[in-house]
Short mmCIF file of all heavy atoms in Angstrom, two decimals:
data_model
loop_
_atom_site.label_atom_id
_atom_site.label_comp_id
_atom_site.label_asym_id
_atom_site.label_seq_id
_atom_site.Cartn_x
_atom_site.Cartn_y
_atom_site.Cartn_z
N ILE A 45 0.80 -1.18 -0.03
CA ILE A 45 0.04 0.01 0.07
C ILE A 45 0.85 1.21 0.09
O ILE A 45 0.74 2.19 -0.87
CB ILE A 45 -0.98 -0.02 1.23
CG1 ILE A 45 -2.09 -1.20 1.03
CG2 ILE A 45 -1.70 1.34 1.27
CD1 ILE A 45 -3.03 -1.35 2.23
N PRO A 46 1.79 1.42 1.00
CA PRO A 46 2.71 2.64 0.86
C PRO A 46 3.43 2.60 -0.37
O PRO A 46 3.88 3.73 -0.98
CB PRO A 46 3.44 2.49 2.05
CG PRO A 46 3.42 1.10 2.58
CD PRO A 46 2.08 0.63 2.16
N CYS A 47 3.85 1.53 -0.93
CA CYS A 47 4.65 1.41 -2.21
C CYS A 47 3.85 1.95 -3.38
O CYS A 47 4.43 2.59 -4.23
CB CYS A 47 5.08 0.00 -2.47
SG CYS A 47 6.18 -0.63 -1.25
N TYR A 48 2.53 1.73 -3.35
CA TYR A 48 1.63 2.22 -4.36
C TYR A 48 1.68 3.75 -4.40
O TYR A 48 1.75 4.34 -5.37
CB TYR A 48 0.25 1.81 -4.15
CG TYR A 48 -0.72 2.32 -5.12
CD1 TYR A 48 -0.87 2.00 -6.51
CD2 TYR A 48 -1.66 3.35 -4.61
CE1 TYR A 48 -1.82 2.58 -7.25
CE2 TYR A 48 -2.57 3.98 -5.49
CZ TYR A 48 -2.66 3.57 -6.83
OH TYR A 48 -3.58 4.21 -7.61
N PHE A 49 1.53 4.32 -3.24
CA PHE A 49 1.57 5.80 -3.11
C PHE A 49 2.97 6.37 -3.46
O PHE A 49 3.00 7.41 -4.12
CB PHE A 49 1.13 6.25 -1.69
CG PHE A 49 -0.30 6.04 -1.46
CD1 PHE A 49 -0.77 4.99 -0.70
CD2 PHE A 49 -1.26 6.89 -2.05
CE1 PHE A 49 -2.19 4.79 -0.43
CE2 PHE A 49 -2.71 6.70 -1.85
CZ PHE A 49 -3.13 5.67 -0.97
N PHE A 50 4.02 5.68 -3.19
CA PHE A 50 5.29 6.12 -3.51
C PHE A 50 5.41 6.09 -5.06
O PHE A 50 5.99 7.05 -5.71
CB PHE A 50 6.41 5.13 -2.94
CG PHE A 50 7.80 5.50 -3.46
CD1 PHE A 50 8.49 6.58 -3.04
CD2 PHE A 50 8.24 4.61 -4.39
CE1 PHE A 50 9.80 6.82 -3.50
CE2 PHE A 50 9.60 4.88 -4.96
CZ PHE A 50 10.35 5.94 -4.48
N ALA A 51 4.88 5.01 -5.74
CA ALA A 51 4.99 4.94 -7.19
C ALA A 51 4.22 6.03 -7.87
O ALA A 51 4.70 6.68 -8.88
CB ALA A 51 4.54 3.58 -7.63
N THR A 52 3.00 6.31 -7.31
CA THR A 52 2.10 7.27 -8.00
C THR A 52 2.51 8.76 -7.62
O THR A 52 2.33 9.54 -8.47
CB THR A 52 0.67 7.11 -7.62
OG1 THR A 52 0.55 7.11 -6.16
CG2 THR A 52 0.29 5.67 -8.11
N GLN A 53 2.93 8.99 -6.40
CA GLN A 53 3.25 10.38 -6.10
C GLN A 53 4.59 10.85 -6.09
O GLN A 53 4.91 12.02 -6.18
CB GLN A 53 2.70 10.55 -4.58
CG GLN A 53 1.23 10.17 -4.35
CD GLN A 53 0.31 10.98 -5.13
OE1 GLN A 53 0.40 12.20 -5.23
NE2 GLN A 53 -0.73 10.23 -5.71
N ILE A 54 5.61 9.95 -5.90
CA ILE A 54 6.99 10.35 -5.86
C ILE A 54 7.80 9.85 -7.14
O ILE A 54 8.45 10.63 -7.76
CB ILE A 54 7.67 9.96 -4.51
CG1 ILE A 54 6.86 10.48 -3.32
CG2 ILE A 54 9.16 10.18 -4.51
CD1 ILE A 54 7.37 10.02 -2.08
N ALA A 55 7.71 8.47 -7.23
CA ALA A 55 8.52 8.00 -8.38
C ALA A 55 7.98 8.57 -9.75
O ALA A 55 8.79 8.74 -10.74
CB ALA A 55 8.38 6.43 -8.46
N SER A 56 6.72 8.91 -9.82
CA SER A 56 6.18 9.43 -11.04
C SER A 56 6.74 10.85 -11.29
O SER A 56 6.57 11.23 -12.55
CB SER A 56 4.62 9.53 -10.92
OG SER A 56 3.98 8.32 -10.79
N LYS A 57 7.38 11.37 -10.47
CA LYS A 57 8.01 12.78 -10.71
C LYS A 57 9.33 12.69 -11.29
O LYS A 57 9.86 13.69 -11.81
CB LYS A 57 8.08 13.55 -9.41
CG LYS A 57 6.66 13.89 -8.86
CD LYS A 57 6.77 14.74 -7.57
CE LYS A 57 5.34 14.96 -7.01
NZ LYS A 57 5.48 15.66 -5.76
N VAL A 58 9.90 11.43 -11.37
CA VAL A 58 11.17 11.14 -12.02
C VAL A 58 11.06 11.24 -13.54
O VAL A 58 10.10 10.46 -14.03
CB VAL A 58 11.83 9.89 -11.54
CG1 VAL A 58 13.06 9.51 -12.41
CG2 VAL A 58 12.13 9.97 -10.11
N GLU A 59 11.72 12.07 -14.18
CA GLU A 59 11.58 12.18 -15.65
C GLU A 59 12.17 11.03 -16.32
O GLU A 59 13.39 10.87 -16.28
CB GLU A 59 12.08 13.52 -16.28
CG GLU A 59 11.23 14.66 -15.71
CD GLU A 59 11.74 16.03 -16.24
OE1 GLU A 59 12.53 16.02 -17.30
OE2 GLU A 59 11.35 17.09 -15.90
N LEU A 60 11.44 10.16 -17.01
CA LEU A 60 11.98 9.07 -17.80
C LEU A 60 11.27 9.03 -19.16
O LEU A 60 10.22 8.60 -19.26
CB LEU A 60 11.75 7.76 -17.00
CG LEU A 60 12.40 6.53 -17.55
CD1 LEU A 60 13.86 6.59 -17.55
CD2 LEU A 60 11.91 5.30 -16.74
N PRO A 61 12.05 9.43 -20.21
CA PRO A 61 11.44 9.55 -21.53
C PRO A 61 11.07 8.09 -22.03
O PRO A 61 11.77 7.14 -21.70
CB PRO A 61 12.51 10.17 -22.41
CG PRO A 61 13.80 9.93 -21.69
CD PRO A 61 13.39 9.87 -20.21
N ILE A 62 10.03 7.98 -22.79
CA ILE A 62 9.64 6.70 -23.29
C ILE A 62 9.96 6.66 -24.82
O ILE A 62 9.46 7.38 -25.65
CB ILE A 62 8.09 6.48 -23.17
CG1 ILE A 62 7.69 6.65 -21.81
CG2 ILE A 62 7.70 5.18 -23.83
CD1 ILE A 62 6.15 6.55 -21.53
N ALA A 63 10.95 5.81 -25.13
CA ALA A 63 11.43 5.67 -26.56
C ALA A 63 10.73 4.44 -27.10
O ALA A 63 11.27 3.36 -27.00
CB ALA A 63 12.95 5.53 -26.55
N LEU A 64 9.57 4.70 -27.75
CA LEU A 64 8.84 3.60 -28.46
C LEU A 64 9.39 3.44 -29.87
O LEU A 64 9.78 4.39 -30.51
CB LEU A 64 7.37 4.00 -28.59
CG LEU A 64 6.53 3.90 -27.27
CD1 LEU A 64 5.14 4.27 -27.65
CD2 LEU A 64 6.66 2.53 -26.71
N GLU A 65 9.44 2.11 -30.16
CA GLU A 65 9.80 1.88 -31.61
C GLU A 65 8.74 2.26 -32.55
O GLU A 65 7.62 1.99 -32.26
CB GLU A 65 10.11 0.36 -31.69
CG GLU A 65 11.37 -0.24 -30.97
CD GLU A 65 12.67 0.22 -31.46
OE1 GLU A 65 12.66 0.78 -32.61
OE2 GLU A 65 13.68 0.10 -30.78
N PRO A 66 9.03 2.95 -33.70
CA PRO A 66 7.90 3.31 -34.60
C PRO A 66 7.22 2.10 -35.20
O PRO A 66 7.92 1.08 -35.51
CB PRO A 66 8.64 4.17 -35.57
CG PRO A 66 10.07 3.60 -35.56
CD PRO A 66 10.35 3.34 -34.19
N ILE A 67 5.91 2.19 -35.30
CA ILE A 67 5.20 1.10 -35.82
C ILE A 67 5.45 0.99 -37.36
O ILE A 67 5.37 2.17 -38.00
CB ILE A 67 3.67 1.23 -35.58
CG1 ILE A 67 3.39 1.19 -34.07
CG2 ILE A 67 2.92 0.15 -36.30
CD1 ILE A 67 2.00 1.49 -33.69
N ALA A 68 5.85 -0.13 -37.79
CA ALA A 68 6.29 -0.19 -39.23
C ALA A 68 5.15 0.15 -40.19
O ALA A 68 5.42 0.74 -41.15
CB ALA A 68 6.84 -1.57 -39.48
N ASN A 69 3.92 -0.33 -39.87
CA ASN A 69 2.84 -0.08 -40.87
C ASN A 69 1.61 0.20 -39.97
O ASN A 69 0.86 -0.64 -39.69
CB ASN A 69 2.55 -1.29 -41.64
CG ASN A 69 1.59 -1.00 -42.87
OD1 ASN A 69 0.90 0.03 -42.84
ND2 ASN A 69 1.44 -1.83 -43.86
N PRO A 70 1.49 1.48 -39.55
CA PRO A 70 0.38 1.88 -38.61
C PRO A 70 -1.00 1.61 -39.13
O PRO A 70 -2.02 1.53 -38.33
CB PRO A 70 0.61 3.36 -38.37
CG PRO A 70 1.54 3.82 -39.39
CD PRO A 70 2.24 2.67 -39.90
N ASP A 71 -1.20 1.52 -40.47
CA ASP A 71 -2.47 1.28 -41.03
C ASP A 71 -2.88 -0.16 -40.98
O ASP A 71 -4.07 -0.48 -41.28
CB ASP A 71 -2.54 1.87 -42.45
CG ASP A 71 -2.32 3.37 -42.49
OD1 ASP A 71 -2.73 3.97 -41.69
OD2 ASP A 71 -1.58 3.72 -43.55
N LYS A 72 -1.98 -1.02 -40.66
CA LYS A 72 -2.26 -2.42 -40.77
C LYS A 72 -1.66 -3.15 -39.46
O LYS A 72 -0.71 -3.81 -39.46
CB LYS A 72 -1.73 -3.14 -41.94
CG LYS A 72 -2.33 -2.79 -43.24
CD LYS A 72 -1.87 -3.62 -44.37
CE LYS A 72 -2.65 -3.23 -45.72
NZ LYS A 72 -2.22 -4.04 -46.90
N THR A 73 -2.36 -2.74 -38.34
CA THR A 73 -1.95 -3.45 -37.11
C THR A 73 -2.56 -4.81 -36.94
O THR A 73 -3.59 -5.13 -37.46
CB THR A 73 -2.38 -2.53 -35.87
OG1 THR A 73 -3.76 -2.23 -35.98
CG2 THR A 73 -1.59 -1.23 -35.93
N PRO A 74 -1.80 -5.67 -36.14
CA PRO A 74 -2.34 -7.10 -36.05
C PRO A 74 -3.67 -7.15 -35.22
O PRO A 74 -3.91 -6.27 -34.39
CB PRO A 74 -1.19 -7.85 -35.45
CG PRO A 74 -0.41 -6.72 -34.72
CD PRO A 74 -0.54 -5.47 -35.55
N ALA A 75 -4.28 -8.34 -35.24
CA ALA A 75 -5.42 -8.58 -34.51
C ALA A 75 -5.04 -8.72 -33.01
O ALA A 75 -3.93 -9.05 -32.67
CB ALA A 75 -6.20 -9.85 -35.05
N LEU A 76 -6.02 -8.49 -32.18
CA LEU A 76 -5.77 -8.58 -30.62
C LEU A 76 -5.32 -10.00 -30.34
O LEU A 76 -4.32 -10.06 -29.49
CB LEU A 76 -6.97 -8.13 -29.85
CG LEU A 76 -6.84 -8.23 -28.35
CD1 LEU A 76 -5.77 -7.22 -27.87
CD2 LEU A 76 -8.19 -7.92 -27.65
N TRP A 77 -5.93 -10.94 -30.75
CA TRP A 77 -5.67 -12.36 -30.29
C TRP A 77 -4.21 -12.81 -30.67
O TRP A 77 -3.52 -13.41 -30.15
CB TRP A 77 -6.65 -13.35 -30.90
CG TRP A 77 -6.56 -13.59 -32.41
CD1 TRP A 77 -7.29 -12.91 -33.36
CD2 TRP A 77 -5.83 -14.56 -33.03
NE1 TRP A 77 -7.00 -13.35 -34.61
CE2 TRP A 77 -6.13 -14.46 -34.51
CE3 TRP A 77 -4.93 -15.53 -32.65
CZ2 TRP A 77 -5.57 -15.33 -35.42
CZ3 TRP A 77 -4.38 -16.40 -33.65
CH2 TRP A 77 -4.68 -16.26 -34.95
N LYS A 78 -3.83 -12.26 -31.95
CA LYS A 78 -2.40 -12.63 -32.35
C LYS A 78 -1.36 -11.79 -31.48
O LYS A 78 -0.44 -12.27 -31.11
CB LYS A 78 -2.16 -12.14 -33.86
CG LYS A 78 -2.82 -13.01 -34.89
CD LYS A 78 -2.42 -12.49 -36.27
CE LYS A 78 -2.95 -13.43 -37.41
NZ LYS A 78 -2.51 -12.91 -38.63
N SER A 79 -1.75 -10.60 -31.11
CA SER A 79 -0.85 -9.83 -30.30
C SER A 79 -0.70 -10.40 -29.00
O SER A 79 0.46 -10.31 -28.24
CB SER A 79 -1.50 -8.40 -30.19
OG SER A 79 -1.67 -7.87 -31.42
N LEU A 80 -1.74 -11.01 -28.46
CA LEU A 80 -1.70 -11.72 -27.12
C LEU A 80 -0.85 -12.98 -27.05
O LEU A 80 -0.40 -13.41 -25.96
CB LEU A 80 -3.07 -11.92 -26.49
CG LEU A 80 -3.90 -10.57 -26.19
CD1 LEU A 80 -5.32 -10.94 -25.93
CD2 LEU A 80 -3.22 -9.97 -24.83
N LEU A 81 -0.74 -13.68 -28.19
CA LEU A 81 -0.10 -15.03 -28.21
C LEU A 81 1.28 -14.92 -27.58
O LEU A 81 1.61 -15.77 -26.68
CB LEU A 81 -0.10 -15.50 -29.57
CG LEU A 81 -1.28 -16.09 -30.20
CD1 LEU A 81 -0.99 -16.52 -31.69
CD2 LEU A 81 -1.72 -17.32 -29.35
N ALA A 82 2.03 -13.97 -28.04
CA ALA A 82 3.44 -13.87 -27.66
C ALA A 82 3.66 -13.60 -26.08
O ALA A 82 4.59 -14.00 -25.53
CB ALA A 82 4.19 -12.88 -28.48
N LEU A 83 2.61 -13.00 -25.56
CA LEU A 83 2.65 -12.65 -24.15
C LEU A 83 2.09 -13.85 -23.31
O LEU A 83 2.69 -14.21 -22.27
CB LEU A 83 1.83 -11.39 -23.80
CG LEU A 83 2.42 -10.07 -24.21
CD1 LEU A 83 1.53 -8.96 -23.93
CD2 LEU A 83 3.78 -9.87 -23.57
N ILE A 84 0.94 -14.32 -23.67
CA ILE A 84 0.18 -15.21 -22.84
C ILE A 84 0.74 -16.69 -22.87
O ILE A 84 0.92 -17.38 -21.84
CB ILE A 84 -1.39 -15.29 -23.11
CG1 ILE A 84 -1.89 -13.90 -22.86
CG2 ILE A 84 -2.11 -16.42 -22.55
CD1 ILE A 84 -3.37 -13.87 -23.18
N ILE A 85 1.19 -17.15 -23.99
CA ILE A 85 1.58 -18.54 -24.14
C ILE A 85 2.94 -18.76 -23.25
O ILE A 85 2.95 -19.70 -22.52
CB ILE A 85 1.77 -18.93 -25.63
CG1 ILE A 85 0.52 -18.81 -26.41
CG2 ILE A 85 2.54 -20.33 -25.68
CD1 ILE A 85 -0.63 -19.73 -25.94
N PRO A 86 3.93 -17.93 -23.37
CA PRO A 86 5.00 -18.14 -22.49
C PRO A 86 4.66 -18.06 -20.92
O PRO A 86 5.25 -18.93 -20.15
CB PRO A 86 5.97 -16.90 -22.83
CG PRO A 86 5.60 -16.57 -24.17
CD PRO A 86 4.09 -16.78 -24.22
N LEU A 87 3.82 -17.17 -20.60
CA LEU A 87 3.38 -17.10 -19.24
C LEU A 87 2.66 -18.36 -18.76
O LEU A 87 2.81 -18.94 -17.71
CB LEU A 87 2.46 -15.87 -18.94
CG LEU A 87 3.09 -14.52 -19.15
CD1 LEU A 87 2.01 -13.41 -19.00
CD2 LEU A 87 4.11 -14.35 -18.12
N VAL A 88 1.75 -18.89 -19.59
CA VAL A 88 1.04 -20.09 -19.30
C VAL A 88 1.99 -21.35 -19.14
O VAL A 88 1.84 -22.11 -18.27
CB VAL A 88 -0.09 -20.39 -20.31
CG1 VAL A 88 -0.64 -21.80 -20.11
CG2 VAL A 88 -1.18 -19.31 -20.26
#
């Protein structure tokens, strides 16, 4: 519980830029179920 408030109120003030990889083809994104495969199957 106190860690949650630390993350939201204090750690959130640390500036950390988000460097996202550009989407190769933004007009043709994959289906949700395909996108979830690579995450869910290893976890399962």
Side-chain angles (χ1 to χ4, degrees):
I45 295 173
C47 298
Y48 171 78
F49 287 103
F50 172 77
T52 55
Q53 303 301 318
I54 299 176
S56 291
K57 294 179 181 178
V58 174
E59 293 186 9
L60 187 62
I62 304 175
L64 287 179
E65 296 287 349
I67 297 175
N69 192 346
D71 296 326
K72 291 187 178 180
T73 53
L76 177 63
W77 69 270
K78 283 186 177 182
S79 304
L80 287 170
L81 281 177
L83 288 177
I84 292 178
I85 298 301
L87 292 176
V88 170

